[in-house]
Amino acid sequence: MLRIKMLGGLLCALLLWMTPVAAREDDKVTLNFVNADIESVVKAVGMISGKNFILDPRVKGNINIVSSSPVSKELTYQILLSALRLQGFSAVEGNGVVRILPEADAKQSTTPVTTPASAPSGDKIVTQVYPLRYESASQLLPVLRPLIAPANSIVAYSNTNTLVITDYADNIRRINKIIDAIDQPSNGEFVSVKLKYASALDMAQMLNRLLSDGPNVGTPAEPGRRVQVVADARTNTVLIRSDNPSLVARARSLAVGLDTPTSSAGNIHVVYLRNADAPKLAQTLRAILNGESGSLGGSTGSSGFSGSVGGASGVAAAGTTAVQGAGIVQADVATNSLIITAPDNQYNNLRAVIDRLDARRAQVYVEALIAEVTANKAAQFGIQWQNLSGLNGNTTSVIGGTNLGGAGVNIIGAATNIATVGQGLNIGIVKGQVNLPGLGNVANLGMLATALQTDAHANILSTPNLLTLDNEEAKIVIGKNVPFITGQYAQTGNTATATPFQTVERKDVGLTLRVRPQISEGGTVRLQIYQEVSSIDPLTTNAAGVVTNKRSIESTVLVDDGRIVVLGGLIQDDVQDGDTKVPFFGDLPVVGNLFKYQTRQQVKTNLMVFLRPYVLKNADASTDITGDRYDYIRNLQQGNRLNGHLLLPDVQIPSLPAMKKPAPAQASPVQPTPPAQPAVAPDQPVQP
């Protein structure tokens, strides 16, 4: 069957070549291929058009081409491309050769690159670069995607606002006409309305609320029915923009109609705050009305941290009013709002100040790291002897010996109470007991040798973390609340027995971190820091009370966002060497060790305090930091699960649930949302 098809194709090609002389003189041929093999048809068209073809091995099948009238030889090539396209194949031209490939592979070959001005025609694959002037390439991409063949591609490059399309030439010419019709300058109009009495900020919110809804309340309007109203607080002007001129005229008439003076000179306005604190902002506005100077906040103490403004003082400030002329500002703590009674011109000025101050404040996540490494080494060695055998006899005898070292290593103390011998190696020679006046019977300890060596290492790492608003103090305390005796006396009164009385003051002992960050331009953070690490010294006793070890740092530093800075530290190496010996005999070589007691001690302490702040300018940055710490604690909980036991019952270990990702926030139609600032990408935080 295959041979019959090939013979049929060659016969058709021979018939085309042997057309009448008149037809050849007219440079026209008649095509008649019925169920002909693709390879044979390509050979015939190549002989007619004079083109060279290369067929991919995957190009197989039969095609049908029938012409009722003669066609020109140049048109036979285009007819062949149309027939191949119906079979899922395409032609790629290059270097004088036409390659026939499957359509899916043609776009990855070296296709001609064209521009809209030089777009070719036909059924061959080409690539076109189309730069846009007015519309966004990313927004136009979903509109043109359904018009491109599934095997071909269209890509948007946002940096130069350009479309890159690979498709058939005829289809690209059609797409060019569609892009030219869409890529037109916007017809949106800008109208400015200068207000005389009303506030531009309040007017913009009202118009956005009225004109932004669609047919149903709460639904967004269609793109052609959208109106954007923006307020310029400096000139008290509203700017109106829309693609629909009738909506612009309606918004302008509403703004002009509402801009009328009130009947009373002391009209009352309520302004709800979103981020600022109403009592503090009311105090600032009253200072503006009264012409007062100075700054808000409590007095600054010796530590550099200002006192708190909230609490009782904030509530008291909310209940006072300041009047200058007709301007009154009152704060409502419950609703975090301001009540302003002032003329229109004065209210407009205050409203502009409120809009600037009622902005979302950035947050600062402060990560402190306290690393302490301590190494203690101590050694002691000594030999003591004594002779008390003739103490209880009646004859004249000589007694004596060496008595070196403190409690636990002294030979007299060991003879009196063997339980007082210290740690380490203790070797002695005992011969019965002797009676010492005032002490009674004690062991007749003739010789005592002691040796002890200790090595102690400590590695302490603390990472207190704090999250606070810009220019707000934060504090974290991790430790114990220890009582300290401040006074005591005996109160007798009318009774004969005295009643003891003590006064106690409690103080925090442990780790304390206080920080007040202030974000500067460029991401630099100014930090007022107080860092303290304190502990109770168990080795030191005092009649007045407990003794505490304290290490603290108080400083003000500048740190870049996400960078680590060292606040301070302690590097200490303490070496002590002591010899207790008998004069002259203790200096003798070798034998002198029988008359001396030696001690050595070395204490090395390395303490460093580091700090790293992160500036969180939006909710996404805060969510990333919180999610990282949340997952860390959750993984620790899941790793501390109890293994199953044959006899003991299973105990469920509490574990935090997986954190859910917050849903994307919907933009409010009341007031345009300001553009989000780029999120901070902090370095990987130090894990404890």
Side-chain angles (χ1 to χ4, degrees), residues 617-620 673-679:
K617 295 184 179 180
N618 50 33
D620 293 338
T673 304
Q677 300 182 8

Side-chain angles (χ1 to χ4, degrees), residues 481-561:
N481 192 258
V482 180
F484 291 87
I485 300 175
T486 58
Q488 56 184 353
Y489 60 92
Q491 183 178 6
T492 57
N494 298 327
T495 61
T497 304
T499 303
F501 184 85
Q502 292 182 340
T503 57
V504 177
E505 179 185 2
R506 291 186 172 271
K507 294 184 179 180
D508 295 327
V509 176
L511 189 148
T512 302
L513 173 63
R514 285 191 296 166
V515 61
R516 179 189 293 275
Q518 184 178 359
I519 304 174
S520 304
E521 293 294 335
T524 304
V525 184
R526 181 177 181 269
L527 296 172
Q528 296 182 17
I529 308 156
Y530 179 77
Q531 173 82 49
E532 177 183 313
V533 178
S534 58
S535 61
I536 299 176
D537 190 354
L539 303 179
T540 305
T541 59
N542 194 311
V546 298
V547 178
T548 58
N549 300 321
K550 180 179 178 180
R551 295 182 291 271
S552 64
I553 296 176
E554 184 176 354
S555 177
T556 302
V557 296
L558 285 175
V559 192
D560 290 335
D561 180 22

Side-chain angles (χ1 to χ4, degrees), residues 24 70 107 233 293-294 357 444 507 534 553 570 592 636:
R24 291 202 303 268
K107 64 180 180 180
S293 61
L357 297 180
N444 186 11
K507 294 184 179 180
S534 58
I553 296 176
L570 170 66
L636 285 181

